[in-house]
Amino acid sequence: MHVLSPTFVSILLRVSLSLADTCADTSSLVPFLRAFSSSENDHFYTTNVSEMKNDALAGGVYVFEGESAFLWPTPEPGTVPIFRLYNQNSSDHFYTMSSDEVPEMMNAGWAYDTAPNHTAGYVYPYSICGAAPIYRLFDPTSVDHFYTMDIVESQNAVQAGYQDQGIAGFAILPSANGTVAQSSAIPYLLPSTITASPESQVSATTSSSCANIANAVPLLRAYSSGGTDHFYTTNSTEMSNSVAVNAYSFEGDATFLWPTQETSTVPLYRLWNLNSSDHFYTIDKNEVNQALAMGFTFDTEAQNVGYVYPYSICGASPIYRLFSSFGSDHFYTMTQAESMSAPGVTALVAFWIAS
Ligand SMILES: *[C@@H]1O[C@H](CO)[C@@H](O)[C@H](O)[C@H]1NC(C)=O
Ligand SMILES: *[C@@H]1O[C@H](CO)[C@@H](O)[C@H](O)[C@H]1NC(C)=O
Ligand SMILES: *[C@@H]1O[C@H](CO)[C@@H](O)[C@H](O)[C@H]1NC(C)=O
Ligand SMILES: *[C@@H]1O[C@H](CO)[C@@H](O)[C@H](O)[C@H]1NC(C)=O
Ligand SMILES: *[C@@H]1O[C@H](CO)[C@@H](O)[C@H](O)[C@H]1NC(C)=O
Ligand SMILES: *[C@@H]1O[C@H](CO)[C@@H](O)[C@H](O)[C@H]1NC(C)=O
């Protein structure tokens, strides 16, 4: 059986990066309908109501499981196609926005099926415009690809034996009552400093468009319970001082990033609010300006804590950002479980950083 790398990173950006600050029309969103067949061990997704009703459900093989996400049935600004393939042999529907994964899967027994343009729909390739991640999971035993925007459901699937295959794309969350709900993600503009060409966004972890992994350094993490503040720096002297003088507790390496700008990376800005004792990190210049207007300042000359990828390329994984209004604390972690268990969390933003 063909098994994919758990660090699923293969993304082909088919849109010009300059379009990324344009959001797709939310009035054209449609539900991505989900059904499951226990006899075939297959999750099936379509935006086509007739296909769901007359083909999947009519025979009694599939059971309807509701709306898994909201996405677009036709191309929209900033979106990329999700290709749909089917493996007849193992009854498995497979969805990917990576065009280089398509031939790999075809070699392993999957083929295009009846979906128009071989596409299941259109999603954002990274977190913009209020979009949230669609998690992708794979059970190699039953050969089932499973997609969900519900992080708890994705973790339960991992407990049940599914592999975590990362993020399949970014879409709009459905709400419990079936109305479209924007996620709490704060929209950000993609920085204009990306040098990678769309063709180079494919899976290679070492290509001329990737930063040199040998130059990556740990981003150190500490927490102050007195100030309710998570603090991150690559500077070990500064970290030592924070622990010795300001009563922060060292909590280890949060991630790896670059101390100077490398190919395809963008600055991760660092700001500080003395009043609320809160360190804030973002790649979004709009957010920087909003923070400055709210009383945050740059507290280092460099104004950034290092350089990261703005989306998943070159083997990079997401770092989750959370905000707790209790104690005004911005918290960053690459661990999904930790992001779930953090207290007082009111927001979650995914973006990309080297691991
Ligand atoms: C929807 O599915 C039906 C099959 O049930 C098919 O005849 C029709 O062409 C599909 N529509 C689109 C837009 O793909
Ligand atoms: C199929 O591709 C054409 C040309 O790019 C586009 O106009 C059309 O909207 C697409 N339809 C779907 C369902 O993807
Ligand atoms: C289908 O499954 C059989 C038995 O599991 C295997 O031998 C065969 O190679 C598979 N065919 C394809 C096209 O995957
Ligand atoms: C549906 O739920 C959303 C949030 O979950 C809420 O804002 C909205 O008012 C609800 N709509 C209806 C019709 O109940
Ligand atoms: C590291 O931190 C120390 C103490 O805050 C500071 O004096 C030094 O300039 C910093 N080094 C760099 C490279 O920023
Ligand atoms: C800090 O708080 C004080 C009093 O609450 C307020 O006057 C001041 O403007 C605040 N400063 C900033 C930078 O937010």
Side-chain angles (χ1 to χ4, degrees):
M1 191 61 253
H2 174 76
V3 175
L4 290 162
S5 153
T7 43
F8 160 66
V9 291
S10 188
I11 290 176
L12 180 63
L13 291 181
R14 322 193 115 241
V15 289
S16 128
L17 293 174
S18 62
L19 282 179
D21 55 7
T22 313
C23 294
D25 180 4
T26 49
S27 69
S28 324
L29 282 165
V30 295
F32 200 33
L33 306 169
R34 166 175 146 188
F36 180 65
S37 164
S38 52
S39 59
E40 313 253 298
N41 267 313
D42 181 42
H43 282 91
F44 168 63
Y45 302 80
T46 183
T47 60
N48 183 337
V49 177
S50 162
E51 187 185 27
M52 176 57 79
K53 234 172 108 181
N54 301 325
D55 301 341
L57 302 181
V61 177
Y62 286 84
V63 173
F64 185 56
E65 294 195 329
E67 294 163 345
S68 64
F70 281 81
L71 42 68
W72 289 271
T74 51
E76 285 273 338
T79 66
V80 296
I82 287 207
F83 302 108
R84 172 174 137 186
L85 292 89
Y86 182 64
N87 187 328
Q88 207 155 17
N89 217 14
S90 47
S91 299
D92 181 48
H93 283 91
F94 170 67
Y95 302 82
T96 181
M97 56 178 179
S98 163
S99 61
D100 69 328
E101 234 185 355
V102 168
E104 274 178 44
M105 297 304 277
M106 285 181 164
N107 284 338
W110 278 260
Y112 286 136
D113 68 354
T114 55
N117 292 358
H118 310 311
T119 331
Y122 295 81
V123 296
Y124 293 120
Y126 34 71
S127 179
I128 51 170
C129 307
I134 303 174
Y135 300 103
R136 165 173 147 186
L137 302 116
F138 178 60
D139 181 353
T141 310
S142 66
V143 190
D144 180 38
H145 284 91
F146 172 45
Y147 301 81
T148 178
M149 293 188 76
D150 182 339
I151 195 167
V152 175
E153 195 180 34
S154 81
Q155 288 178 336
N156 289 345
V158 168
Q159 292 301 312
Y162 279 78
Q163 296 169 353
D164 177 355
Q165 290 196 330
I167 290 170
F170 291 85
I172 305 301
L173 281 164
S175 70
N177 60 20
T179 59
V180 175
Q182 292 276 328
S183 83
S184 49
I186 301 160
Y188 63 77
L189 295 182
L190 198 67
S192 55
T193 47
I194 319 291
T195 50
S197 65
E199 292 72 29
S200 67
Q201 312 290 329
V202 293
S203 60
T205 54
T206 52
S207 85
S208 58
S209 300
C210 297
N212 185 351
I213 201 80
N215 296 339
V217 298
L219 182 66
L220 308 169
R221 166 175 144 187
Y223 181 65
S224 160
S225 52
T228 326
D229 180 44
H230 281 92
F231 167 59
Y232 303 80
T233 181
T234 59
N235 181 335
S236 53
T237 311
E238 188 188 22
M239 180 52 77
S240 302
N241 291 349
S242 297
V243 170
V245 181
N246 298 321
Y248 279 79
S249 308
F250 181 57
E251 295 190 331
D253 297 346
T255 183
F256 284 79
L257 45 60
W258 288 272
T260 53
Q261 188 153 28
E262 299 242 353
T263 308
S264 301
T265 66
V266 297
L268 181 60
Y269 297 103
R270 164 177 160 181
L271 297 105
W272 162 245
N273 189 321
L274 180 64
N275 265 13
S276 56
S277 179
D278 182 29
H279 281 91
F280 173 57
Y281 303 82
T282 181
I283 61 172
D284 179 354
K285 282 191 179 143
N286 281 350
E287 268 194 340
V288 167
N289 291 333
Q290 284 165 14
L292 290 171
M294 283 170 59
F296 282 82
T297 55
F298 290 117
D299 64 340
T300 57
E301 204 184 321
Q303 301 190 348
N304 69 68
V305 69
Y307 295 83
V308 298
Y309 293 123
Y311 40 72
S312 179
I313 51 171
C314 307
S317 304
I319 183 163
Y320 301 95
R321 171 175 126 191
L322 303 107
F323 178 69
S324 165
S325 51
F326 171 78
S328 290
D329 182 35
H330 284 91
F331 170 49
Y332 301 80
T333 178
M334 293 191 74
T335 314
Q336 231 182 49
E338 196 177 42
S339 77
M340 288 300 295
S341 62
V345 161
T346 56
L348 182 152
V349 170
F351 62 94
W352 307 95
I353 200 164
S355 61

